Amino acid sequence: MPRDDAGPDFIEALARGLDVIRCFGSHRVPMSLTEIAAATGLARPTARRIVRTLEHLGYARTTPEGVVLTPRVLELGVAYTLSTGLWDVALPHLRDLVKQTGQAASVAELDGSDIVYTARVEVPKVVAVNVKVGMRLPAASTALGKVLLASLEPAALHTALRAETRSPIKPHRTKPIDEIEAELREVRARGWASTDGEVAPGIRSVAAPLRDGDGRTVAAVNVTAIAAEVGHRELIDGLLPLLLQTTGAIGRDYELIHAAPQRALRGT
């Protein structure tokens, strides 16, 4: 059935194909056609035709155990990260930040009511936080998300806070909207956010905005630590200053890259 809010130019077949690709995100095993149909709400013959199309294009293959995606699907995500230039700019700075702090660091962007991780540098630990690039989490329960939500205009914030999450992960603690809005006002005023066990118990995080040359928040950067290793005071007094230095450096490099073509044009 056509989407209720779609216009006349909406291509339903393309949307269904993307639905099939996305349904694999919550499954770590091969899926049968019946499972794909159930996960996407499609009729089984429709799911079969889409899978066959994805196989022809190299994005899926059928094994004796069921249908799996191929590494070619990564091209879709890589195309986004490369098109923004943020990945190449941020990664060296994230690596330096991880060396200085001994903790993992990430970049995330806002998508509706969720954050999506677009860059990540881990640190070898016996106990680690299981976060991968492309992972989706409810924004209001993360330090990264609070920074990004705090940058929104009132109307956009109202919509984001009331939108349904598409993350399969349920936060350890949730707050009512009025409490979240009050917290976001504080985040907006001080320029950073922290969380302590909201997404998962024993996980602390501090995040700061990554701004472009016009001062607009384009992403957020965080440092994540295990509570048993890093106290809240150390997180704020010790790691936050290093994080702020890093976001400033990434922002400056990001602006230089985006300004270069305009400067070259003005010089011709």
Side-chain angles (χ1 to χ4, degrees):
M1 294 294 291
R3 319 277 163 145
D4 293 337
D5 58 348
D9 295 327
F10 186 83
I11 302 175
E12 184 67 30
L14 175 58
R16 290 174 176 176
L18 294 174
D19 286 343
V20 169
I21 291 175
R22 282 196 299 266
C23 83
F24 283 86
S26 57
H27 294 77
R28 296 185 178 274
V29 295
M31 297 178 68
S32 68
L33 287 174
T34 300
E35 290 171 329
I36 292 172
T40 57
L42 298 172
R44 192 176 184 278
T46 302
R48 182 184 63 79
R49 289 196 298 273
I50 291 173
V51 167
R52 295 295 176 264
T53 301
L54 292 174
E55 286 181 329
H56 181 75
L57 296 173
Y59 292 110
R61 61 186 174 87
T62 298
T63 70
E65 293 78 24
V67 180
V68 296
L69 296 180
T70 71
R72 189 169 188 178
V73 172
L74 291 172
E75 294 176 356
L76 303 176
V78 170
Y80 168 75
T81 58
L82 293 180
S83 69
T84 64
L86 190 56
W87 172 278
D88 289 333
V89 172
L91 208 54
H93 294 288
L94 289 185
R95 288 172 176 153
D96 288 343
L97 180 61
V98 168
K99 288 179 182 178
Q100 293 176 63
T101 63
Q103 307 298 331
S106 307
V107 176
E109 298 179 48
L110 193 65
D111 183 22
S113 63
D114 300 327
I115 60 165
V116 178
Y117 286 87
T118 54
R120 173 82 171 176
V121 176
E122 290 282 1
V123 59
K125 287 180 179 289
V126 175
V127 179
V129 182
N130 186 23
V131 172
K132 306 296 181 185
V133 170
M135 186 175 180
R136 180 180 292 270
L137 288 175
S141 299
T142 68
L144 287 162
K146 289 174 184 179
V147 164
L148 294 168
L149 289 169
S151 71
L152 297 178
E153 296 294 328
L157 177 59
H158 182 277
T159 299
L161 289 179
R162 289 157 181 80
E164 185 175 348
T165 179
R166 289 192 284 143
S167 170
I169 298 173
K170 185 177 180 180
H172 178 62
R173 291 202 314 267
T174 58
K175 300 176 182 178
I177 287 182
D178 58 345
E179 188 174 334
I180 294 172
E181 289 174 332
E183 184 176 3
L184 292 179
R185 286 193 290 271
E186 295 180 6
V187 171
R188 193 176 300 114
R190 71 186 178 214
W192 55 270
S194 66
T195 54
D196 192 349
E198 291 185 39
V199 175
I203 303 300
R204 291 191 172 115
S205 179
V206 62
L210 176 58
R211 296 186 174 96
D212 64 14
D214 296 321
R216 293 173 298 197
T217 298
V218 296
V221 184
N222 83 338
V223 174
T224 304
I226 305 298
E229 297 179 358
V230 178
H232 186 263
R233 187 48 25 202
E234 181 184 353
L235 186 75
I236 304 305
D237 292 346
L239 304 189
L240 176 59
L242 297 174
L243 173 64
L244 294 174
Q245 291 174 16
T246 298
T247 55
I250 295 174
R252 288 189 294 273
D253 285 356
Y254 187 66
E255 170 58 15
L256 286 172
I257 287 177
H258 281 258
Q262 285 77 13
R263 289 172 180 166
L265 287 173
R266 286 196 295 268
T268 58

